[in-house]
Amino acid sequence: MSTSQKTPVLRLPSTPPPPILTLTPKTHTTIEIRPFNIFDARPVARIANSPRIASCMRNTFPYPYTSKDANHWLLIATRSYSDPETKPTKSGKPLLLDYAIIVNGVLVGDIGLKPLWDVESDTFEIGYWLGEEFWGVGIMTVVLKEFIAWVWEQFPTVRRLEAMVFDFNEGSKKVLSKVGFVQEGVKREAVRKGDKIHDMVVFGLLRREWTTQVLSVSAEP
C-alpha cells in the first residue's frame, strides 16, 4: 500500500522581529534595519511596483510587482541564511542576509547580501533598493554605511564587499562612492534590459580600506 507525504507548509514569521540596527540620523526620526515578516507583503508590493526601480534591478525583480511577487520574495528573504562553513559569523550561528529598511515605522526598501563562493568565498555582493518616494533624501547613504559596519562585525572572515550597478544608475554610484566604495571597472555590454544593452559598473570595498577610513575620521579634531 502506498502512502502519500504532505508537502510542508511554509510559514512566515507572524510577529515583527527585532531590528539588527536602529539609527537616529539628524534628518529622520528613526531608521530600523530588521528582518522581514508576514505583515510586510502589502507595503513591499506597493512600493516595489515601479518601472523605475525595476529598470535598475536584475530581471528577477519584476514589473508589475504584485502581491504574489511580494509573498514569494518574503519566503526567500526570511529563509536566506548565511552558511557558517563558508561565511563564519561572530556568534557562530547563521544570520539572515536580507532585511527591510524602516523609516519612522514605514517600510521603505530592502538591503541584503549575496554570498560568493569558491575562490571568492571571502566576498559578499551587496544590493539594495528604495521606494521612489524616498529617493534623494539621504536614507540609503545612512543605511548603507551602518549596514556595512554591521557586516564587518558579524562576518569576521569577509574581506570584501562588491556592488554591481547599471551604467545609467548615477544615484547608486554616488551612494556607493560616499560610503567608500571604489569603482574598479566596467563589464562592457554585460546587461540586457528589455531591448537595450548597458554596461555593468563594478564597485568594491575592502575591510582594510574601511578600517583606515574609520581611523582617519576618529583622528580628526
Side-chain angles (χ1 to χ4, degrees), residues 58 116 120 123-126 128 160-169 172-174 176-177 180-191 198-206 209:
R58 289 187 169 95
L116 302 188
E120 296 180 281
T123 300
F124 273 127
E125 180 181 339
I126 193 165
Y128 48 82
R160 171 183 166 82
L161 296 174
E162 66 182 39
M164 303 291 184
V165 183
F166 300 164
D167 55 7
F168 59 84
N169 191 348
S172 194
K173 292 179 190 177
K174 290 178 181 177
L176 290 166
S177 296
F181 276 79
V182 175
Q183 182 175 324
E184 297 178 331
V186 176
K187 298 170 70 174
R188 296 176 300 160
E189 299 187 6
V191 176
H198 299 281
D199 295 342
M200 179 82 85
V201 185
V202 181
F203 283 83
L205 176 64
L206 304 181
E209 294 170 338

Side-chain angles (χ1 to χ4, degrees), residues 97-143:
L97 299 177
D98 292 289
Y99 296 91
I101 302 170
I102 312 296
V103 176
N104 296 336
V106 177
L107 193 150
V108 303
D110 164 52
I111 189 166
L113 300 166
K114 176 183 176 182
L116 302 188
W117 307 104
D118 203 88
V119 295
E120 296 180 281
S121 61
D122 290 349
T123 300
F124 273 127
E125 180 181 339
I126 193 165
Y128 48 82
W129 61 268
L130 280 178
E132 272 191 71
E133 61 202 273
F134 307 102
W135 290 4
V137 293
I139 293 173
M140 190 51 73
T141 301
V142 172
V143 168

